[in-house]
Amino acid sequence: MAEPLDDKTAFGIDLGTTLSVVAQVNSAGLPVVLPNAEGSPTTPSIVLFDAGHAVVGAVARESLATEPASVVQLVKRHIGSGWTFDYGGVAYRPEHVSALILRKVVHDAQLLAGPVTQAAITVPAYFSDPMRAATLRAGELAGLEVLGLLSEPTAAALAYGYDRRPAGATGVVVDLGGGTFDVTVMEYDGAELKVRATGGDAYLGGANFDKVLFDCFVERFESAHGLDINDPDAQSLDECAQVSQDWLLRAARAKHDLTSRDRTSVALQAAGLTLRVDVTRAEFVSGSAVLLDEMTEKMADVVAAAGVTQKDISVVLPVGGATRMPAVRERMKEMFGVDPDTSVRPDEAVALGAALFAAQRQLERGGALVMAPSAREYLSELTVTDVTAHSLGISVFETAGERQRPVMTALLLRNTALPASAERTFFTMRPGETRIVVPVLEGESDDPGLCRRVGVVVIDGLPPHRPAHQPVSVTMSLNENGILQVAATDVSTGAQASTTIAREYLANGDASGGAADRMAATMQIE
């Protein structure tokens, strides 16, 4: 007799910038990674468009050097924006490409697990509302019922804590993936996991370290042969793209070599010329100093925001394949004074934690999962409290002397526990206003020009001839997935507007605060 669908545990999916992983909780209550159809635990998050078909994974990665115009990678860095990948007359948005990756990894996982269509998907901790919403949309486009979005460091912490279940411990997760960097401080207390503070960088990851070696190759090759492969006049655009992708792949392999060896040798070829380049680990570390310093600065910032000291930290978890680099682990030990715990594989930890989270969500909904009683009990009691990665507010005007200046007024501060909500009253500025515009911003500066506009709420059709200084109540709320809802009410008339953010502004690629400032002319602070 076939196993009922309700008894299957949902997938946990680490939708990574460079690699994606799927895991599932088995009947013994243990999270396990499900290898893809090629037998690998990880699938390259790369898509090759070939004669109307989309090929995802290792084949697409190998095609980077030969068909660069048909291959898209690092799409996660663009999700939530208006960026597109144009191929065959079709503009693919980031969520469309991400959906293709999700379909591949889910299809392969189903070969082992059967017809499972529910999943939890992880996102970097710093992801904004548009980024999270686009990830959620990608899951839906892939045919999944998304049980929830979970921050990657939180997922890794779940995977670590599941076996150990520490009590009264403070830990730090340092997540350096292929394209992104996260730092999260959290507290363990049995079945309770609470995030204290989080931060990250959308453009810092293993790919940046690959670029260090790539730049080294370019410099050595030009010194030896007088050819700069980045010079568009030296080669055709197609030749330049092919050589660049080939060298980047070789740089990634050299980075892996230098993780376990003190030196490596790379054979380069361009324009019929060849060169063998020797690189030492010391040279690589020296060239990566700026990146390592950026990591150290971010780690210090998040620890300070959490209100803890180095002495309070007893667990340091390296997550993401790039944390295997010795220089990265040395920086972690220098920062926290604790040896990084490597008991959970860094490139699988996020997916394993996501699988636990997915099972917990199913039990929370009353799902009848086949699972060892002790595992069921723990997951039923498990509580995960995440936090906001950014401050959220609106652009309004405040009076400074005889002048008024635009300011970003935060309603929900960074590192507020989720779910969260806040309400504040503002006032119209001029008489006769029939339309109230509430621009929604994200950022840590009170200067709207230094914040990101994530959407707008509009109350329209108000009666004419109203006096100035009419109260408007604005409410912001974030659910457990970090998805933002904003409501505005004109107090005197009761007219309301509510939205989960009008993201058409993002589709136009407008993330500037300037446009938001111009739209904020209807609101002021008391």
Side-chain angles (χ1 to χ4, degrees):
M1 182 175 178
E3 185 182 20
L5 180 61
D6 288 347
D7 288 341
K8 292 182 179 293
T9 54
F11 294 139
I13 303 176
D14 174 8
L15 180 60
T17 308
T18 56
L19 296 171
S20 293
V21 186
V22 180
Q24 184 182 41
V25 176
N26 62 21
S27 59
L30 300 175
V32 293
V33 168
L34 301 176
N36 60 23
E38 295 76 45
S40 173
T42 61
T43 299
S45 302
I46 304 175
V47 181
L48 164 67
F49 291 92
D50 180 29
H53 300 282
V55 180
V56 178
V59 172
R61 181 175 57 192
E62 295 305 316
S63 300
L64 277 168
T66 57
E67 303 176 70
S70 303
V71 181
V72 57
Q73 62 175 331
L74 303 178
V75 68
K76 186 173 174 178
R77 285 184 166 179
H78 303 291
I79 200 157
S81 74
W83 174 93
T84 61
F85 179 76
D86 301 321
Y87 180 82
V90 178
Y92 295 89
R93 293 176 58 82
E95 57 266 37
H96 299 146
V97 179
S98 296
L100 294 172
I101 298 168
L102 286 169
R103 285 178 187 171
K104 155 69 174 174
V105 298
V106 168
H107 172 269
D108 288 0
Q110 288 173 337
L111 297 177
L112 295 172
V116 179
T117 57
Q118 293 182 319
I121 303 175
T122 61
V123 294
Y126 63 83
F127 256 24
S128 63
D129 169 79
M131 293 172 170
R132 290 172 183 266
T135 303
L136 192 62
R137 177 60 177 157
E140 294 168 349
L141 289 171
L144 292 170
E145 178 188 349
V146 182
L147 296 174
L149 301 178
L150 181 66
S151 295
E152 291 164 3
T154 307
L158 275 178
Y160 169 84
Y162 187 59
D163 287 335
R164 294 159 186 77
R165 306 182 187 182
T170 300
V172 175
V173 177
V174 179
D175 185 352
L176 185 64
T180 59
F181 180 58
D182 270 331
V183 183
T184 297
V185 177
M186 57 194 61
E187 292 180 348
Y188 287 101
D189 192 4
E192 182 179 358
L193 180 64
K194 181 179 180 181
V195 175
R196 290 281 299 268
T198 192
D201 190 331
Y203 297 96
L204 175 59
N208 299 82
F209 289 87
D210 296 345
K211 185 64 165 51
V212 169
L213 289 168
F214 174 86
D215 291 341
C216 173
F217 296 166
V218 172
E219 181 181 343
R220 301 269 188 94
F221 202 87
E222 183 176 10
S223 177
H225 294 299
L227 173 66
D228 179 2
I229 69 158
N230 292 322
D231 183 355
D233 296 328
Q235 302 179 92
S236 69
L237 289 178
D238 286 344
E239 289 173 328
C240 183
Q242 290 178 5
V243 171
S244 294
Q245 292 297 343
D246 178 60
W247 286 19
L248 280 170
L249 289 173
R250 293 174 188 272
R253 295 189 190 106
K255 178 186 68 179
H256 296 157
D257 286 346
L258 292 172
T259 295
S260 57
R261 301 172 58 191
D262 290 331
R263 64 173 57 245
T264 189
S265 183
V266 181
L268 304 173
Q269 184 174 7
L273 303 170
T274 61
L275 180 70
R276 181 168 293 277
V277 173
D278 292 324
V279 183
T280 66
R281 182 188 292 176
E283 290 171 330
F284 177 43
V285 171
S286 176
S288 304
V290 172
L291 301 177
L292 294 168
D293 289 345
E294 288 178 11
M295 289 180 55
T296 301
E297 182 179 346
K298 182 61 67 176
M299 288 188 288
D301 173 65
V302 174
V303 169
V308 300
T309 66
Q310 291 180 354
K311 294 180 180 179
D312 298 319
I313 296 166
S314 57
V315 177
V316 178
L317 303 178
V319 176
T323 59
R324 286 191 171 95
M325 288 185 285
V328 170
R329 294 193 176 181
E330 287 170 8
R331 285 295 180 107
M332 294 167 64
K333 184 173 182 179
E334 289 174 6
M335 179 73 199
F336 303 113
V338 177
D339 285 318
D341 187 300
T342 58
S343 57
V344 182
R345 287 176 59 85
D347 44 9
E348 297 180 3
V350 171
L352 294 172
L356 292 167
F357 178 73
Q360 185 263 349
R361 280 288 174 96
Q362 286 179 291
L363 291 171
E364 192 175 68
R365 295 182 177 192
L369 304 181
V370 174
M371 189 181 301
S374 60
R376 176 190 292 274
E377 181 180 2
Y378 178 79
L379 289 174
S380 297
E381 296 175 353
L382 179 65
T383 61
V384 180
T385 303
D386 221 325
V387 298
T388 60
H390 312 277
S391 295
L392 291 157
I394 67 172
S395 179
V396 295
F397 280 86
E398 73 170 5
T399 301
E402 297 182 356
R403 300 179 59 187
Q404 289 186 318
R405 69 182 186 98
V407 295
M408 191 285 213
T409 299
L411 276 73
L412 293 173
L413 296 176
R414 173 190 174 194
N415 293 323
T416 297
L418 297 176
S421 64
E423 181 179 2
R424 183 166 176 177
T425 299
F426 301 90
F427 299 88
T428 59
M429 295 179 62
R430 294 182 290 269
E433 289 181 316
T434 60
R435 186 171 189 255
I436 299 170
V437 177
V438 183
V440 181
L441 304 180
E442 169 191 274
E444 310 311 317
S445 173
D446 65 355
D447 181 355
L450 299 178
C451 296
R452 177 184 175 87
R453 188 181 71 189
V454 297
V456 64
V457 177
V458 178
I459 302 175
D460 224 335
L462 295 173
H465 313 303
R466 298 196 317 156
H469 204 70
Q470 297 299 297
V472 179
S473 175
V474 177
T475 302
M476 281 188 172
S477 60
L478 283 165
N479 64 16
E480 292 178 342
N481 295 325
I483 302 296
L484 178 65
Q485 178 95 15
V486 182
T489 302
D490 180 65
V491 176
S492 59
T493 65
Q496 296 182 342
S498 179
T499 182
T500 52
I501 300 307
R503 297 184 183 87
E504 62 271 18
Y505 292 97
L506 293 173
N508 295 330
D510 180 7
S512 66
D517 297 343
R518 293 191 294 273
M519 297 170 66
T522 60
M523 300 280 287
Q524 64 180 350
I525 301 174
E526 175 80 306

